[in-house]
Amino acid sequence: MKSKIWLSPPHMGGSEEIFVKEAFESNWIAPAGANISGFERDLESFLGQDCLVSCLSSGTAAIHLALIQLGVKENDEVLCQSFTFVGSVNPIIYVGATPVFIDSELETWNMSPDFLEKAILDRISKGKKPKAIILVHLYGMPAKMDDILRIARQYGIPVIEDAAEALGSQYKGQKCGTFGDFSVLSFNGNKIITTSGGGAIVSKTMEEKEKAIFYATQAKGNEEHYEHSEVGFNYRMSNVCAGIGRGQMKVIKERVAQRQSNHSFYHDLFEKNPEISLFKAPSKVFSSNYWLSCILIGEKVHFNKNDIINHFDKNNIESRSLWKPMHLQPVFKTFPFYGAAVSDDLFKRGVCLPSGSNMTIVERDEISRVLTEFISMYS
Ligand SMILES: *Cc1c(COP(=O)(O)O)cnc(C)c1O
């Protein structure tokens, strides 16, 4: 049997084991050591903009610490893009705050600046100014940063930029992960680069970086003994995982180019097909890493997303629905939502296609064959 074509599998570069071996040889098998500071330096020079990076155990942990550093507390409100992965939202609940969900716009599928401003004005009129905005560059596509940052500044609300899916993407030539008051990266197994599991918080000052590490290491004071005057977390990245990250940083440019090349492959495949449209950047201002290539099925066709997903599955190819919006999730449905049915509709009609940076020509040919077969079944 042919081996399975996965949606977004890990892709090692070759030098990861050298750094992991160093961790073993020096016996730094701990959430401290040279790989952590090395990986942080690599990320800082990749991102530019004088950003400072603190490596953590996950992207979700990074969002949690960003909320804490912004002073978000019980009964505060946090504006959050609804069309995202649940890791963007759960930390709002961890700090006891209330998520207020914002719908997407159709060009980037990310936070709609119009609905954002409506939500801010309405929350203020109800007597509650939101404490933070969590925006996402979903599937690697940069959000409309100029509009969102203008609104955020106008009302004086800090921005947490969830760039978990957008390492290597750029907006107007500036890297995603450098726009927020705090930004968040993820190195989970399915992301652009992986440390098997991990994340990072990106900040602007040394004081913020040190504070992030302080909270991530149980908020221990500077005394010789263990002195604690605040509640902390065990969120630091392990030195073994950071070794994998250092190896991955050697190939990050290739990894981004490989994902973008997958997108060009799909572009050619769907170009002549009016029933299915490939999601692409609305203009040159938005440079996506195309972490996942996504399609939307036309409204008047004889098949739906499940037909495609099932047909792929029968052929041992993994594909998946787009993220189900958070305002439609049973656990979050009682929270406020500002929008129309933009992300609802994307969820109804959208599918993510295999997008691994290690996709081979043979795998592309197989995907092409299976899709052509599918379309001929329904036409
Ligand atoms: C993966 C992801 C996260 C969370 O990252 P983890 O490292 O898995 O905790 C957050 N937001 C988005 C949009 C993601 O895709």
Side-chain angles (χ1 to χ4, degrees):
M1 180 138 152
K2 292 186 307 270
S3 58
K4 184 159 179 144
I5 303 177
W6 298 99
L7 194 71
S8 184
H11 184 186
M12 292 299 105
S15 59
E16 292 83 1
E17 281 171 283
I18 299 170
F19 293 107
V20 171
K21 200 156 171 264
E22 270 174 31
F24 275 75
E25 280 166 358
S26 60
N27 205 32
W28 282 99
I29 314 292
N35 281 336
I36 300 177
S37 46
F39 186 34
E40 288 175 345
R41 272 197 307 276
D42 290 347
L43 287 163
E44 285 165 359
S45 67
F46 180 79
L47 291 173
Q49 306 291 125
D50 297 325
C51 281
L52 295 165
V53 174
S54 319
C55 285
L56 304 175
S57 53
S58 72
T60 309
I63 295 184
H64 190 186
L65 293 190
L67 289 166
I68 288 171
Q69 287 195 261
L70 289 171
V72 179
K73 295 204 167 66
E74 273 118 275
N75 304 319
D76 285 340
E77 291 189 349
V78 176
L79 301 161
C80 183
Q81 182 165 325
S82 180
F83 194 39
T84 186
F85 170 64
V86 71
S88 309
V89 184
N90 279 335
I92 302 173
I93 310 293
Y94 301 166
V95 298
T98 302
V100 173
F101 294 117
I102 313 292
D103 206 354
S104 292
E105 41 79 17
L106 272 173
E107 286 190 325
T108 72
W109 292 6
N110 291 311
M111 182 178 274
S112 152
D114 293 342
F115 291 130
L116 172 67
E117 187 158 26
K118 283 204 179 89
I120 293 172
L121 289 170
D122 193 53
R123 299 325 285 177
I124 290 174
S125 80
K126 290 186 161 68
K128 218 160 204 189
K129 187 172 141 184
K131 287 285 163 66
I133 297 168
I134 300 178
L135 70 89
V136 188
H137 308 294
L138 212 62
Y139 303 113
M141 184 65 70
K144 293 191 168 171
M145 291 314 302
D146 279 355
D147 296 330
I148 292 170
L149 290 176
R150 177 180 46 75
I151 294 165
R153 289 196 187 112
Q154 184 181 338
Y155 296 94
I157 305 174
V159 169
I160 299 172
E161 180 195 14
D162 180 348
E165 302 178 1
L167 192 58
S169 298
Q170 299 184 29
Y171 175 81
K172 293 192 169 171
Q174 183 180 333
K175 292 248 166 51
C176 290
T178 66
F179 288 95
D181 293 281
F182 290 98
S183 302
V184 167
L185 306 174
S186 169
F187 315 112
N188 196 15
N190 58 347
K191 300 290 159 77
I192 288 281
I193 62 164
T194 183
T195 59
S196 75
I201 182 165
V202 183
S203 47
K204 297 281 151 53
T205 69
M206 205 42 159
E207 203 185 335
E208 288 164 345
K209 173 170 168 153
E210 282 165 1
K211 199 84 196 198
I213 295 170
F214 168 77
Y215 283 122
T217 52
Q218 306 283 26
K220 180 190 175 300
N222 288 324
E223 295 77 2
E224 178 277 326
H225 64 274
Y226 281 78
E227 179 84 3
H228 303 280
S229 31
E230 283 189 76
V231 174
F233 303 88
N234 184 4
Y235 276 172
R236 195 70 162 132
M237 179 179 277
S238 122
N239 194 48
V240 177
C241 294
I244 304 175
R246 283 178 95 179
Q248 292 269 281
M249 286 308 284
K250 302 240 179 260
V251 291
I252 184 162
K253 289 202 176 113
E254 286 96 307
R255 293 297 177 265
V256 172
Q258 284 153 331
R259 300 257 177 182
Q260 291 169 334
S261 153
N262 290 336
H263 188 265
S264 309
F265 155 72
Y266 285 119
H267 176 86
D268 296 345
L269 198 58
F270 290 111
E271 200 171 31
K272 288 165 244 89
N273 198 304
E275 297 175 333
I276 298 175
S277 60
L278 180 68
F279 175 48
K280 37 182 173 300
S283 79
K284 288 215 167 65
V285 163
F286 303 85
S287 169
S288 176
N289 62 14
Y290 289 117
W291 172 58
L292 295 186
S293 288
C294 305
I295 51 171
L296 272 191
I297 296 158
E299 277 159 296
K300 296 193 182 77
V301 297
H302 306 297
F303 54 86
N304 61 37
K305 68 171 182 184
N306 294 319
D307 297 323
I308 293 203
I309 294 168
N310 292 337
H311 187 71
F312 268 130
D313 187 51
K314 272 189 219 129
N315 287 277
N316 213 18
I317 299 171
E318 186 184 25
S319 63
R320 227 171 239 280
S321 284
L322 302 183
W323 300 122
K324 181 173 179 175
M326 293 300 127
H327 71 280
L328 300 178
Q329 298 288 357
V331 65
F332 296 134
K333 65 173 186 248
T334 56
F335 295 116
F337 169 69
Y338 291 82
V342 177
S343 54
D344 305 45
D345 181 55
L346 293 172
F347 173 63
K348 277 190 201 116
R349 298 194 286 123
V351 178
C352 307
L353 299 174
S355 302
S357 47
N358 41 9
M359 198 194 292
T360 63
I361 306 276
V362 174
E363 289 175 330
R364 283 187 185 176
D365 287 347
E366 176 64 2
I367 291 166
S368 176
R369 184 190 71 75
V370 170
L371 257 173
T372 312
E373 181 182 82
F374 175 81
I375 287 161
S376 67
M377 277 163 57
Y378 282 91
S379 55

